[in-house]
Structure formats: structure tokens, C-alpha cells
Amino acid sequence: MAQRRGIQLPRVSAMQPVLLMILCMMAINAAYALRQFPGAGGRALLQSSHGNLIVDYIGASGASDLQFTDLPISASLQYILPLSFAIDADASGNTQNGNFNAFWASSLTPQSAQSFKQSNPNVKLLVSLAGFSQFLSDGTTRNVDWYDPPSTDTWISNAVSSISNLVSQYSLDGVDVDYENFPTSATFTTCIGGLISQLKSSGTISIASIAPFGATNSIYADLFANFGSSIDYVNYQFYADGLASQSDFISRYNTVAGSFDASKLLPSVEAAGRGLQGSDFIGAAQQLTIPGIMIFNVDNDKGSGFSTEQAVASFLST
């Protein structure tokens, strides 16, 4: 009959209980730290999951001295710069039935756009359509309104042609849609969806984005519901929604994500403007899972030495 061997227990050193106690204390402290949200000052221990994309609108002020090369570019990040804005109107504000013209800062020339992209392969340039208002040739401004064209097919055809010309002239990569005034919106989804889908299917553009905010959310949500597969990013203007705190911002972000694809939704900050600023904005972004951050705009950020852009770049680089 075989003899059964006794179970041999490892010898326990005097130090092992102490080490076990230290490890337990470290685990408890780590679990507690992960529950803390970032304050207005220091770095958070709980890091968000984020991409490395900055969308930064450029040219909207009309400042004649603005240059692409003013913007500090980090080699570790990806940039999308929507030229702001191309408008379906002439210099006097007369609508042109889908024939868009460039009204961004005149210093942002086709030659400088091409040179800037060649020097910075991590930069994409878009044409942003409409904006809120237009500077007219007589020195006044007018609201840029969406209007229902008499023929959607003609409007789409004209828009495809005029936008394609701008894409070719400025070596652009895509289109951003930033209509903000809607006396009517009956044909908006048909026209804009048709424009984006035709430009993409022809290979004229590779990127399309939209820029809704609270008052226009339902209009853009309908566009996204019908043409979302052709839309790559949602540059939602959270700064226009009157959000006063990080918790308000996060709550609004989660609500907006229900109308759009969360993987395409970028939180936004207005340089030296409305909404959360500085560490309050970064603190909110730290608590979200985001593809990147949208900034409005290069023009306004230049006066502060690009403090907003640099803070966003520092966060997204970590």
C-alpha cells in the first residue's frame, strides 16, 4: 500500500505579513483616488480616454494679418482647420443659389494653404459653410440664413461645383457645415446631405463635419439621422449653450451624444469667449471619452499667445 505524502506548506517569513498589509493599503488608496474628479487646479488621477485631434476654425475674423503659420503645431497631434467661411452669397449679401464664395481672411491664400499642408502632414484643411454672419462690402453685416431654394437639385449641383472649385484651389480635404440661422429648414437635410454625399462619393473630399448647438440641434440631428454615415465629426458648440459648470457640461455632452454618434462628438471651447474656460474646460474634458477637442477660433486665440490651443494640445498629448 502506497504511503500518502503530507502537504508541504511554504514557510512564511516575518516580512510577508507586513508586505501584504502595505499592498492592501495601496490598493485601497488607489481605489479611492480613482473616484476623485479633477478640480480647477491640478491634474486628475482619473484620466479620460481621448484621441489626439484638434479642430480649430481659422479666418472668421477677417483679420488681414492672420497666417496659417501663426498657429503652433504639435507633431504628436492631428489637426483639422476649417477655413471660415464660404458663403452662398456675393459680397453684397445676395444669395447665389448654391454658388459658394470664400469670405475668410484674405491673407489665407491658396498658395499659403498648399505650403502649410506640405510643411505639416498632420494638418487637414476644410471649407466651413455659412457661419453666423457675413461682413458685407459696404462695411455692414448680415445674418447668413438658410433659405429653401426653388430647386434642390439645382442648388446641390451648383454647390457641388463651387465647393469642388474651392477644394481644388486651396488643396482642401473636406467640408464643415455651420449654418446657424434657420428662418426655414424644410430643404436643409436634402440639400446639405446631397452635397456631402456627392462630394464624398466622387472622392472630392475625405472629411465632413457639422457644427450644431442647442438652438439648431434638432435640425442637425435630422441631417445626421439621414446622412450620418457620410459625416465624420460633430463639432458641437457647447460654449453657446450657457453651461456654467463641469457637471453641466458633462450632462449636456451625454445628452447630445444621444442625438449623434458619441465616437464622432467633440467637446468645444471658445477662445477667450463664452462657456467654460481654462482648467474648468480641461477638467470637464478629462471626465469624457472623446475623439478630440474643437476650438473656436485661431483668430481669437492669437492675441493670448494661443493659450487655449496650447492648453488643449498639452491635455491631448498626455
Side-chain angles (χ1 to χ4, degrees), residues 116-134:
F116 187 64
K117 285 188 61 180
Q118 288 172 356
S119 300
N120 298 279
N122 57 329
V123 171
K124 305 290 186 184
L125 298 180
L126 308 189
V127 51
S128 186
L129 307 184
F132 183 83
S133 60
Q134 177 186 2

Side-chain angles (χ1 to χ4, degrees), residues 194-205 230:
L195 169 64
I196 291 173
S197 59
Q198 287 195 31
L199 289 172
K200 275 211 157 184
S201 63
S202 66
T204 303
I205 64 171
S230 296

Side-chain angles (χ1 to χ4, degrees), residues 15 17 24 35 40 47 72 74 119 152 155 164 170 203 210 223 225 231 237 240 263 280 283-284 286 294:
M15 289 298 297
C24 288
R35 296 179 59 192
Q47 295 295 322
S74 170
S119 300
T152 57
W155 188 95
S164 296
Y170 285 85
I210 57 176
L223 173 65
I231 297 171
Q237 301 177 56
S263 68
D280 283 334
Q286 284 177 312
M294 182 267 271

Side-chain angles (χ1 to χ4, degrees), residues 264-284:
K264 300 179 179 182
L265 179 61
L266 281 75
S268 60
V269 58
E270 186 175 62
R274 299 164 292 176
L276 294 186
Q277 297 287 309
S279 56
D280 283 334
F281 171 75
I282 297 299

